[in-house]
Amino acid sequence: MIVNCNTSSTSKRSLSGSTPPPPGIVITPAMFVAPTNTGINMTVLVNAGAALNTPYAGGELGAFYDLNGDGNLQCVALSTVAVGPFSLAIWGDNGATPIKDGLDPGDVPYFAVLDGGIVYLFTPSPAFSGYVDNGIAVITNGSSSPL
């Protein structure tokens, strides 16, 4: 699965194609914590150049999902943004545990970047199509907006 995107601006705060975040999405700097290694994951190669790698290098890219249905998002992936390509492991649910501790096939997380204490919602375009056990995806661009 390949996620292709079409934004070429390098400005963090005014990326072309930016849209306001969906209402009710709350992702704070404190939520960027190492997720649980559940033993099953999906690998995402991030090579988003001007949209992510260059302006946010040194920041953190996370994926967030409401695992327990309480309306609060949990971190299911976290990686430091590099200037060049880097990978992001999105953790899946370990079916051997009684609680949902990662994504189920088809779940679509929110992606966000923490940079300089500011959280930006990052939207791959076209949309990320969903988690796949042992899957591979590529993000080549996108848009962001501050939360």
Side-chain angles (χ1 to χ4, degrees), residues 1 6-7 32 40 63 74 76 112-113:
M1 150 184 25
N6 300 313
T7 301
F32 284 76
I40 186 143
Q74 290 81 40
V76 295
V113 177

Side-chain angles (χ1 to χ4, degrees), residues 19-122:
T19 57
I25 299 302
V26 176
I27 301 173
T28 66
M31 294 168 68
F32 284 76
V33 295
T36 300
N37 177 337
T38 62
I40 186 143
N41 70 359
M42 172 179 195
T43 301
V44 178
L45 172 66
V46 182
N47 190 18
L52 181 67
N53 299 74
T54 302
Y56 298 111
E60 294 182 287
L61 174 64
F64 299 87
Y65 193 84
D66 182 4
L67 294 173
N68 57 13
D70 69 354
N72 297 308
L73 300 174
Q74 290 81 40
C75 187
V76 295
L78 188 64
S79 188
T80 300
V81 177
V83 173
F86 66 96
S87 64
L88 179 71
I90 301 178
W91 296 101
D93 184 39
N94 178 347
T97 61
I99 61 167
K100 182 172 178 170
D101 51 8
L103 299 184
D104 288 321
D107 285 348
V108 178
Y110 291 101
F111 292 94
V113 177
L114 175 61
D115 185 61
I118 300 170
V119 176
Y120 300 87
L121 187 65
F122 180 74

Side-chain angles (χ1 to χ4, degrees), residues 1-5 42-44 65 90 103-111 123-133 135-139:
M1 150 184 25
I2 296 179
V3 179
N4 293 313
C5 309
M42 172 179 195
T43 301
V44 178
Y65 193 84
I90 301 178
L103 299 184
D104 288 321
D107 285 348
V108 178
Y110 291 101
F111 292 94
T123 306
S125 174
F128 180 77
S129 61
Y131 174 82
V132 177
D133 286 343
I136 297 174
V138 178
I139 294 175

